[in-house]
Amino acid sequence: MVLASFNPFPFLGQDTPSWATWMLENKIYACMMTFFLCNAVETQLISTGAFEIHLNDMPVWSKLEAGRIPQPGELFQIIENHMNMKIGGGGGAERIGDFHDEL
């Protein structure tokens, strides 16, 4: 919305709020504030110690059990192993697809 200078409020039949007008007028500052705010929220959520990943209602990773957050490659490998187990454990042509290509 901000980088593209797109204001969705007139399309929704509403007046543009003052915060949205400010963001559209101050793009760089608004993007920096959004970046830092999101990082602060992420840091707070991760620092609580509760970080779990579930795939099809099956636990894949728990920070409380492992004591750390998984590396991206490690996480992709775990998810790929769970997907292979789900479709019969075959690693051949019957696979749904390569996760790395989808991401």
Side-chain angles (χ1 to χ4, degrees):
M1 175 177 125
V2 174
L3 294 176
S5 296
F6 176 70
N7 186 356
F9 295 101
F11 295 106
L12 300 173
Q14 298 181 358
D15 292 332
T16 304
S18 60
W19 59 267
T21 303
W22 179 87
M23 289 179 74
L24 291 169
E25 292 172 355
N26 303 294
K27 290 179 179 53
I28 294 174
Y29 191 65
C31 288
M32 287 175 46
M33 291 302 293
T34 303
F35 174 77
F36 288 122
L37 180 65
C38 289
N39 278 336
V41 170
E42 177 188 11
T43 301
Q44 181 62 32
L45 290 173
I46 289 176
S47 69
T48 62
F51 180 80
E52 294 188 345
I53 300 172
H54 292 263
L55 179 64
N56 296 330
D57 296 329
M58 185 174 174
V60 173
W61 187 273
S62 172
K63 180 184 173 204
L64 296 175
E65 291 177 11
R68 63 185 179 85
I69 295 175
Q71 296 297 316
E74 180 181 19
L75 181 58
F76 292 143
Q77 185 65 44
I78 292 170
I79 291 173
E80 188 172 3
N81 290 342
H82 278 275
M83 295 297 287
N84 286 340
M85 287 181 358
K86 188 80 169 173
I87 58 176
E94 298 174 0
R95 289 179 50 186
I96 293 175
D98 194 4
F99 243 179
H100 303 287
D101 291 339
E102 293 178 14
L103 298 175

